[in-house]
Amino acid sequence: MVGTLLNAGCILAGGIAGLVMKKPLSAANQLFFKLVLGLGVIVAGLRLAWMSIASESETFVEVFQRLGLVILALMLGRFTGAMLRIQKASNRVGRFAREKMSGVRPDNANRFSDGFSVAAALFCAAPLAVFGSVADGFAGYFWPLVIKGVMDGMAVMGFVGMFGAGVILSAVPVFVFQGTITLFCSRILLPWFEQSGWTDAASAMNATAGLLIFTVSLIVFEVKKIEVSDYLPSLVFAPVLWCWLL
């Protein structure tokens, strides 16, 4: 829950900063934060993936075996996610937010509630919300959510000028959504894996989440547009493949 608490705290801090600051961040500062956050995503994702794979492997052969199964899980997950149209659902959230932002006016009576709904939808639908919460729940690895928190906080700073203080309340649904995933992983799934003899399952999910967190950096740096949400089913395939084939 540490990551979720910090994420919610960053949203609150960003909202307060947005209300206090009279000018938005300069383009140079925005570019700097983008670079730092992108590098942070790379390090956090690859570190989680490596720790999860290496902790369960005794030889380089086993490392490559587990890495290969993670890649296979990603392929199967991508295919399943595309069939379920998970990314399309995520895109609808983005379109909803853009429509609300394009139609915002200072005299709009729904400005407060619109700001809350836009921020909550965007922050909860972000891929890092799920992948980071999984890592926090299984391994107590909260850094992806810290990075997401900084991103959310910077976004709130901009949203406050458009929608007012309503966006700050988005910290509540973010806390509930991510906290639920984290607690489900740590209090329900992890004990169940251990009782079922699937001792590698949590590491498999963490390794997969780590690689998916890494791919977010490609979006941050605008290298490639990846439909990350379609890979969510990979988190189900990875533990099955690890526990059945190794």
Side-chain angles (χ1 to χ4, degrees):
M1 286 290 288
V2 174
T4 294
L5 286 170
L6 292 174
N7 193 162
C10 286
I11 293 175
L12 294 174
I16 295 172
L19 292 173
V20 173
M21 292 175 59
K22 296 182 179 180
K23 295 182 179 180
L25 291 175
S26 65
N29 285 333
Q30 291 181 25
L31 181 61
F32 170 76
F33 279 112
K34 180 179 180 179
L35 176 62
V36 172
L37 291 172
L39 292 175
V41 171
I42 292 175
V43 173
L46 292 181
R47 183 168 180 262
L48 175 62
W50 172 251
M51 288 192 309
S52 303
I53 293 174
S55 65
E56 302 294 342
S57 306
E58 296 182 356
T59 65
F60 279 110
V61 173
E62 291 184 0
V63 169
F64 285 112
Q65 286 177 336
R66 295 181 188 280
L67 179 60
L69 291 178
V70 169
I71 294 174
L72 177 58
L74 291 172
M75 295 171 61
L76 294 173
R78 171 69 176 85
F79 176 76
T80 305
M83 290 185 62
L84 296 175
R85 300 184 177 183
I86 299 176
Q87 184 64 49
K88 292 185 182 297
S90 179
N91 291 342
R92 284 196 292 271
V93 174
R95 286 195 297 270
F96 162 78
R98 285 194 297 270
E99 290 172 359
K100 291 294 184 181
M101 287 188 286
S102 62
V104 64
R105 298 189 308 274
D107 59 344
N108 187 349
N110 297 323
R111 186 164 166 256
F112 186 94
S113 60
D114 285 348
F116 168 77
S117 59
V118 166
L122 289 177
F123 298 158
C124 291
L128 281 178
V130 176
F131 305 142
S133 298
V134 168
D136 196 11
F138 282 130
Y141 189 75
F142 55 80
W143 291 110
L145 289 183
V146 172
I147 296 170
K148 176 182 178 292
V150 176
M151 293 179 178
D152 293 349
M154 293 180 63
V156 167
M157 290 175 64
F159 288 159
V160 163
M162 299 173 61
F163 296 103
V167 296
I168 300 177
L169 295 180
S170 63
V172 176
V174 168
F175 177 80
V176 173
F177 177 69
Q178 295 179 183
T180 299
I181 296 175
T182 299
L183 290 176
F184 179 74
C185 291
S186 62
R187 301 295 177 86
I188 297 178
L189 273 185
L190 189 58
W192 183 76
F193 285 154
E194 293 173 349
Q195 292 173 5
S196 302
W198 284 28
T199 55
D200 294 351
S203 294
M205 294 183 73
N206 279 333
T208 306
L211 290 184
L212 289 172
I213 289 169
F214 164 74
T215 62
V216 174
S217 66
L218 302 179
I219 301 175
V220 173
F221 288 132
E222 300 178 3
V223 175
K224 184 177 178 60
K225 185 178 180 181
I226 300 176
E227 297 179 336
V228 182
S229 296
D230 276 345
Y231 288 90
L232 280 172
S234 303
L235 296 174
V236 177
F237 285 110
V240 174
L241 292 174
W242 271 35
C243 295
W244 283 4
L245 299 180
L246 291 177

